[in-house]
Amino acid sequence: MACVVKEKERAGIINPIFTCQPAGAQYVSIGIKDCIGLVHGGQGCCMFVRLIFSQHFKESFELASSSLHEDAAVFGGLNRVEQGVDVLLMRYPNLKVIPVISTCSTEIIGDDIDGVITNLNDGLLKEKYPGREVHLVPIHTPSFVGSMVSGYDIAVESFVRAFAKKDKPNGKINLITGWVNPGDVRELKHILKEMDIDATVLFEIEKFDAPLMPKEQAQPHGETTIDDLTGTANAIGTIALNKYEGGKAAEYLEDTFDVPAVIGPSPIGIRNTDLFLKKLSQMTGKPIPKSLAYERGVALDALTDLTHMFFADKKVAIFGNPDLVISLAEFCIDLEMKPVLLLLGDDNRSYKNDPRITQLQEKVDFDMDIILNADLFELEDRIKKGLKLDLIMGHSKGRFVAMDNKIPMLRVGFPVFDRAGYYRHPRVGYNGAVWLAEEMANVMFNDMEYKRNKEWLLAMW
Amino acid sequence: MPYHLFKVSECIPEREKHVVEKGKDEEITDALPLGYLNTIPGTLSERGCVYCGAKHVIGTPMKDVIHMSHGPIGCTYDTWQTKRYISDNDNFQIKYTFATDVKESNVIFGANELLKDNIIAAFKAFPEIKRLTIYQTCGTALIGDDLESIAKEVMDEMPEVDIFVCNAPGFAGPSQSGGHHKINIAWVENKVGTHEPKITSDYTINYVGEYNIQGDQEVMQDYFKRMGIQIISTFTGNGSYDDLRGMHRAKLNVLECARSAEYICNELRKRYGIPRMDIDGFGFKPLSDSLRKIGIFFGIEERAEAIVKEETARWKPELDWYKERLKGKRVCLWPGGSKLWHWAHVIHEEMGVEVVSVYTKFGHQGDMEKGISRCDCEGALAIDDPNELESLEAMETLKPDVIFTGKRPGEYAKKIGVPYINAHAYHNGPYKGFEGWVRFARDIYNAIYSPVHELSFVDITKDEITEENSFVTRRMKSDINLSKEIVDSTSIREYTGNFDCVSHLREKSYPYLEEQIEKHKQMAE
């Protein structure tokens, strides 16, 4: 009865859990207003990431490529960045921020994106666009390091580093959400409103869920402004919900501007949300209001209906972004379930020392494996070799493992493209806890019915 | 045929020669847009990379192969489960993708050993699979890994396996088209002729440039088998690795997508003397003519004729039901490459729609030449390497009723009230075959006459909210201007097929083919 943390043994990756770093940087860039990222690499590095975003949100997001071709691979591609920036500025008159996002190819050929940005600032921007507010932000995200998760982390820090500027205290807190959905941001802002807290939310992505309007074009785009980013240096404190997706930026603000940082835990499940409220309260001096206690009560009532009746001792495997996976596992344990397998899909060595993981190692009283540098074949292979599971939680790329092995699966994380509208619902906060628990139950109920597995129980529930 | 410069591209005047407007009675010789040139950076072009053209478009539809990308995980992940190339072996090629997961230390010290370990681990994970393809990516091309020598090393150690290497890094050309070319040549150079297929019919073909999108290949395969034709290989949808090594033994290359696969046909003609016949599985007439041509080639035209007769009788009344309701609808035909000329004239003739614009993401001038000349609509706009702002401007000015394009551009079209049909992977395909063509017409009809679509134009703050209808059916919209005769016609009808029109084909038996198999069995004895 123990929790074991180990690396996947097999060489290479069969069915990756993550894509690479530039995708994380691109997810951050679409959250900023008047911003189009310029991905410095082959066209696929941008085109396919736009595709996966459109699969997840059923929306198209603006991202550009420097369109690296053969000559650039030989002679260097910085002229492609220069031209790309110019073309973007000419054609998008409201554009203010262009992150230049590196990839494996341009890091290997040694293109100096910081240098070219200096040149552009001193040359093109002064000469051709005098008086126009333009910010070029270098983001180094070679694909051969980390994953989309670290790419996200690096990009948040790069933006904060580029804009944060010490001024008068603004009385706000910084809330760095990590890689979440519009539904999560809506829920977080609801909590902030209930607590009467003024916050800079990085990133304001509620409008990724964009409407169809009769006479205007409502293309989806994030709404975090340059002023928001600049003001992060003047906040009361920073709460980064996800250690691995925004933690770096929180640390930078603390180290450079003495803005106290609270990093994690992701407010997934009741306990983690309680903790989040406590930290909000400590940071701002605002009390936790009755309204949230009431919401918590509604959530607990919903969970109580499900736990010992349906969830107790159910074995769960969870894969995806580390902060999400760990918090979901903690929540499952509270729900009387047994998360027997956690799959973290990159080679980040620091996961091993994560206090949440050491706590699982110390306190879990059933067998649990946490696999680092994992892939989805690891999950499938373990099932084939006898691992019994009642539920899988993870993103849509794992759908065949669930289907082929007839295990119910709740889609959670990124990307989710095979269920309608999941980005609209929260995973965080008390409302997120309700959504998660009830959806876990519902997928298990469907499975009971299809397999005729005590499905009559539901008839008399 | 004047060049056309979009307002949004006035600041990049080099775009002017990539767009032409077709005038009245104009010939293609009057002007032709430039094509297949380097992309202008920062334009939000819709092009992909060379790697995806090789691996994702052509390599991966092969169904019984471990498809491994040598590079960081992103290239693999991004080209996995994003295209609807199904197969009759439970979609192995969609379910599994393999990456060597190149990391920083490999970039510094080389990744040859890593690649070898990966190949061995992958074969171990799937012991029943003995074939593997490796695709180079930008990163491993730049660090100079020697994929061929590793592949050879493994093949020497494991004689039961066979490995194909494709060196088509993402940067090696203006678009995915470069990758099509590289993998065509690499396959014919390295794999064709290394395996002897079992010949079981007098009539043998390679079916080339067909990717089994939503089952296209299986629909066409059904016609060929009904004619008694043995398909030695399909390049590459639903195709088998070893079958494709035996391409040299076919009597005829039947070529569907000439943009992505004419290279291998031309090489097979040069090297093995196999003739190339360009066919077209889209549209009743082109498809009928194609089957007849193949029939004539083998001297079995009556079999083709019988299929054409049967299928036309079954499906034509359904196609015509939609044609009556799609007449005059304005369409932007915005696919990747060859569909612009596969579809331009046929959707006009057989569905009655007007093609007001064609574009191609990765086509060459030859594709534009064919596409424009087949496009009947005066003022039609032909765009090479389109980008987002130009597409939006084109939609604002042309006011199409529907566009046929990729998934993501379809999403921004939605925002300006233009419905889209997925031209690459289809909405509810397959679109090839007689039934498939009706499904395409059905999807177009459903998109254009969607009652929800109409609601999205109502501004509830200003417009009158009518109490007339508490619901609207598609026919209430589509039939309003039709004559009573057409509305009440019993000789035409709506689509009557099933949601899945492909899986049942896998169970069928084929008398002509069985006859041939029997004959060849006896000949062998």
Side-chain angles (χ1 to χ4, degrees), chain B residues 181-193:
Chain B
H181 179 247
K182 286 183 197 304
I183 194 171
N184 269 249
I185 300 304
W187 188 266
V188 76
E189 191 70 35
N190 298 303
K191 290 300 162 197
V192 173

Side-chain angles (χ1 to χ4, degrees), chain A residues 295 298-300 302-303 306 331 429-439:
Chain A
E295 274 182 29
V298 170
L300 284 168
L303 304 188
L306 299 168
F331 185 37
Y430 299 123
N431 289 317
V434 173
W435 187 89
L436 281 168
E438 291 182 337
E439 288 302 305

Side-chain angles (χ1 to χ4, degrees), chain B residues 322-342:
Chain B
Y322 293 102
K323 183 181 182 180
E324 292 295 346
R325 288 156 176 87
L326 293 176
K327 264 182 199 157
K329 291 295 171 190
R330 296 163 64 80
V331 164
C332 287
L333 174 51
W334 289 351
S338 70
K339 285 191 192 94
L340 84 98
W341 47 266
H342 272 298

Side-chain angles (χ1 to χ4, degrees), chain A residues 43 50 80 380 397 404, chain B residues 39 80 95-97 388:
Chain A
Q43 290 167 159
R50 297 183 79 192
R80 310 287 296 175
E380 177 173 339
K397 293 281 187 188
D404 286 349
Chain B
T39 318
W80 173 41
K95 284 183 184 173
Y96 298 102
T97 195
E388 194 154 313

Side-chain angles (χ1 to χ4, degrees), chain A residues 12-13 15 18-19 43 48 50 58-60 65 69-70 80 91 144 146 210-212 217 380 397 404 415, chain B residues 8-9 39 42 48 77-78 80 95-97 99 103-104 118 171 173-174 387-388 408 411 414-416:
Chain A
I13 296 283
N15 295 356
F18 299 139
T19 185
Q43 290 167 159
F48 280 103
R50 297 183 79 192
K58 315 300 178 208
E59 302 279 10
S60 171
S65 171
H69 298 316
E70 195 126 40
R80 310 287 296 175
R91 298 177 86 218
F144 47 75
L212 238 176
Q217 266 194 52
E380 177 173 339
K397 293 281 187 188
D404 286 349
Chain B
V8 292
S9 294
T39 318
Y77 180 98
D78 291 352
W80 173 41
K95 284 183 184 173
Y96 298 102
T97 195
K103 291 292 181 191
E104 194 154 25
N118 260 272
F171 57 73
N387 59 62
E388 194 154 313
R408 194 191 46 71
E411 300 294 350
K414 173 178 79 177
K415 297 295 187 198
I416 55 169

Side-chain angles (χ1 to χ4, degrees), chain B residues 75-123:
Chain B
C75 310
T76 300
Y77 180 98
D78 291 352
T79 53
W80 173 41
Q81 290 178 7
T82 57
K83 215 163 175 212
R84 299 170 182 159
Y85 37 67
I86 58 169
S87 67
D88 58 12
N89 67 338
D90 201 26
N91 298 322
F92 180 82
Q93 76 290 354
I94 292 178
K95 284 183 184 173
Y96 298 102
T97 195
F98 302 73
T100 54
D101 192 20
V102 164
K103 291 292 181 191
E104 194 154 25
S105 62
N106 309 117
V107 171
I108 298 162
F109 302 111
N112 283 330
E113 270 311 299
L114 177 80
L115 174 60
K116 190 175 172 186
D117 291 348
N118 260 272
I119 296 172
I120 291 165
F123 278 126

Side-chain angles (χ1 to χ4, degrees), chain A residues 167-404:
Chain A
D167 203 336
K168 288 196 295 284
N170 63 14
K172 293 179 168 186
I173 66 154
N174 301 319
L175 182 66
I176 304 179
T177 66
W179 194 313
V180 294
N181 278 313
D184 294 314
V185 172
R186 197 174 302 135
E187 177 62 18
L188 291 166
K189 285 166 78 173
H190 160 70
I191 291 172
L192 293 168
K193 197 173 162 215
E194 291 301 317
M195 290 195 61
D196 192 27
I197 292 172
D198 199 1
T200 302
V201 177
L202 303 181
F203 291 85
E204 290 276 6
I205 60 161
E206 262 185 284
K207 294 218 170 130
F208 282 7
D209 186 4
L212 238 176
M213 298 300 282
K215 286 178 189 77
E216 64 195 85
Q217 266 194 52
Q219 302 288 358
H221 214 291
E223 296 179 301
T224 293
T225 62
I226 293 170
D227 286 347
D228 290 339
L229 286 161
T230 309
T232 51
N234 308 306
I236 304 166
T238 303
I239 298 185
L241 299 181
N242 289 356
K243 180 175 162 76
Y244 303 103
E245 297 157 6
K248 263 195 207 325
E251 281 165 11
Y252 168 77
L253 287 169
E254 185 170 72
D255 294 348
T256 315
F257 302 106
D258 297 321
V259 178
V262 170
I263 298 174
S266 311
I268 288 177
I270 304 293
R271 277 178 217 275
N272 282 331
T273 303
D274 292 350
L275 210 52
F276 173 52
L277 298 189
K278 180 182 151 189
K279 288 182 173 169
L280 281 174
S281 180
Q282 280 174 343
M283 194 173 272
T284 60
K286 301 269 171 94
I288 298 173
K290 279 244 161 59
S291 62
L292 289 175
Y294 185 87
E295 274 182 29
R296 184 176 186 271
V298 170
L300 284 168
D301 184 84
L303 304 188
T304 308
D305 294 339
L306 299 168
T307 48
H308 22 285
M309 178 83 184
F310 296 109
F311 288 157
D313 297 325
K314 291 285 189 287
K315 294 193 172 71
V316 189
I318 311 171
F319 64 87
N321 293 30
D323 291 293
L324 176 72
V325 170
I326 296 168
S327 301
L328 283 174
E330 292 166 340
F331 185 37
C332 282
I333 296 174
D334 268 341
L335 295 176
E336 304 178 29
M337 302 170 113
K338 289 180 175 166
V340 292
L341 179 63
L342 308 187
L343 299 157
L344 305 181
D346 60 30
D347 63 347
N348 188 336
R349 303 270 176 249
S350 68
Y351 295 153
K352 269 185 190 152
N353 307 320
D354 189 306
R356 294 168 296 176
I357 288 185
T358 38
Q359 197 179 128
L360 288 169
Q361 284 176 292
E362 283 161 15
K363 296 182 184 164
V364 157
D365 47 16
F366 52 89
D367 284 332
M368 179 180 193
D369 281 349
I370 301 177
I371 309 298
L372 309 178
N373 201 25
D375 56 17
L376 287 167
F377 187 72
E378 184 73 20
L379 172 61
E380 177 173 339
D381 199 37
R382 282 165 177 260
I383 294 167
K384 286 203 176 108
K385 287 176 178 152
L387 175 69
K388 293 274 176 267
L389 290 173
D390 300 294
L391 182 68
I392 294 173
M393 284 200 273
H395 57 68
S396 298
K397 293 281 187 188
R399 64 196 300 273
F400 286 109
V401 183
M403 284 162 59
D404 286 349

